[in-house]
Amino acid sequence: MISSPDPSAATLRSRPQVLCISGHDPSGGAGIQADIEAVAAQGAHALGVITSLTTQNTRNVSRVKPIAPGLLQEQLETLLEDCPIHAIKLGLLGSAEQVRPIRWIIEQCRVPVVIDPVLRAGGGASLASAQTTVALLDHLLALATVITPNASEARALMPAAQTLDEAARGLLAIGCAQVLITGGDEKTEDVENHWHRAGAAPQVFRWPRIPMGFHGAGCTLASTLAARLALGEDDEAAVLNAQRYVQASLQRALRVGQGRAIPGRLPLPAA
Ligand code: PLP
């Protein structure tokens, strides 16, 4: 007879848990599915809360429908009553009103927070209104341990900055502890990711550019980073290992539709 596991048994395993607060992408390339897969691949467990439903495929996004902030608050409270949270990842912010429940959970948890300031889809569609972007800037970025804008998001967040380094310094000045600006959307031969921390020299990581467009690479990086921090890695190791994992995922990218490829976050099990 097969006995079912006793949920109260002291031997039951647990893993570090990452609260992922993200949009839903039905193509499975970006958003919450990217988070769940990436977090699981690091050996952590994702708790998934949706900020927005979207209509999209691997080519582009055509509609974003935010979840009501009251429902978000209820979901976060219900999780917090029950589940330990070791890191938080915030992806697509659905509306300015969602800032309140998200600030609340960040303040309750006091764990590493990774924010991917998602503003525009790789296919070109806008994912955040001007009002939502201002709310993100004014009320959330300062609470982040690391923010992971791509180069065009960094420029959009700091429009007065003349260079990307200046944009990074501006973002640090808001109060986020670290800024990792990714360069997948730039024209450089290698992909250059720039890591800025207050009081330390900026560091550049170079990765061979894989000559195709990807959908969901940014979400994969941010949630992997959150998982690595939840696992107890220090900032330096987490930043490096998250990039290594993204690079490996891009090398085994999957064709899901006719548009951009998605990162192969879950390697096939050995036969
Ligand atoms: N949809 C959702 C829910 C997202 O969170 C994102 C990016 O973070 C996107 C779409 C766009 O992803 P990409 O720019 O990689 O295509």
Side-chain angles (χ1 to χ4, degrees):
M1 196 178 86
I2 299 169
S3 58
S4 56
D6 171 2
S8 65
T11 53
L12 218 52
R13 281 173 302 164
S14 61
R15 293 178 176 178
Q17 308 202 125
V18 182
L19 172 63
C20 299
I21 309 173
S22 297
H24 178 252
D25 162 16
S27 81
I32 200 75
Q33 184 167 332
D35 296 346
I36 293 169
E37 291 178 0
V39 167
Q42 314 313 310
H45 175 73
L47 305 164
V49 171
I50 308 281
T51 55
S52 292
L53 298 176
T54 70
T55 303
Q56 65 175 299
N57 56 27
T58 59
R59 291 185 171 122
N60 209 351
V61 181
S62 53
R63 186 164 179 208
V64 179
K65 173 81 180 153
I67 299 297
L71 178 56
L72 211 57
Q73 177 78 33
E74 197 181 301
Q75 292 180 322
L76 294 171
E77 279 174 15
T78 303
L79 274 179
L80 189 60
E81 279 168 13
D82 183 41
C83 307
I85 292 170
H86 302 98
I88 297 175
K89 182 258 173 169
L90 171 64
L92 180 62
L93 178 66
S95 66
E97 293 71 32
Q98 289 183 356
V99 160
R100 216 182 148 113
I102 294 170
R103 269 193 79 100
W104 176 83
I105 193 75
I106 291 174
E107 282 162 358
Q108 293 291 314
C109 291
R110 304 196 171 278
V111 293
V113 176
V114 179
I115 300 183
D116 184 18
V118 178
L119 303 181
R120 187 171 291 282
S126 169
L127 292 173
S129 66
Q131 198 192 6
T132 306
T133 306
V134 169
L136 184 67
L137 260 170
D138 288 356
H139 302 295
L140 286 173
L141 293 190
L143 306 179
T145 311
V146 195
I147 66 168
T148 59
N150 60 27
S152 63
E153 286 161 345
R155 291 189 185 100
L157 290 167
M158 290 284 128
Q162 301 289 315
T163 63
L164 270 184
D165 280 358
E166 204 180 316
R169 286 193 293 274
L171 289 164
L172 287 177
I174 289 177
C176 30
Q178 303 164 52
V179 179
L180 178 63
I181 301 183
T182 59
D185 58 335
E186 294 281 84
K187 296 269 184 283
T188 49
E189 187 179 339
D190 289 336
V191 172
E192 295 179 357
N193 298 333
H194 295 249
W195 185 35
H196 294 254
R197 289 171 286 174
Q203 220 171 303
V204 185
F205 299 87
R206 288 190 176 81
W207 303 93
R209 185 178 289 281
I210 301 168
M212 65 172 93
F214 296 103
H215 171 50
C219 306
T220 305
L221 175 70
S223 49
T224 302
L225 193 43
R228 293 270 162 186
L229 294 170
L231 286 158
E233 286 188 357
D234 62 33
D235 295 340
E236 200 136 14
V239 162
L240 179 61
N241 288 330
Q243 292 176 79
R244 279 192 180 137
Y245 170 74
V246 171
Q247 187 69 10
S249 303
L250 299 184
Q251 277 162 354
R252 51 174 185 249
L254 299 176
R255 166 108 8 248
V256 169
Q258 306 303 306
R260 284 164 296 138
I262 75 164
R265 286 172 289 254
L266 301 175
L268 282 174

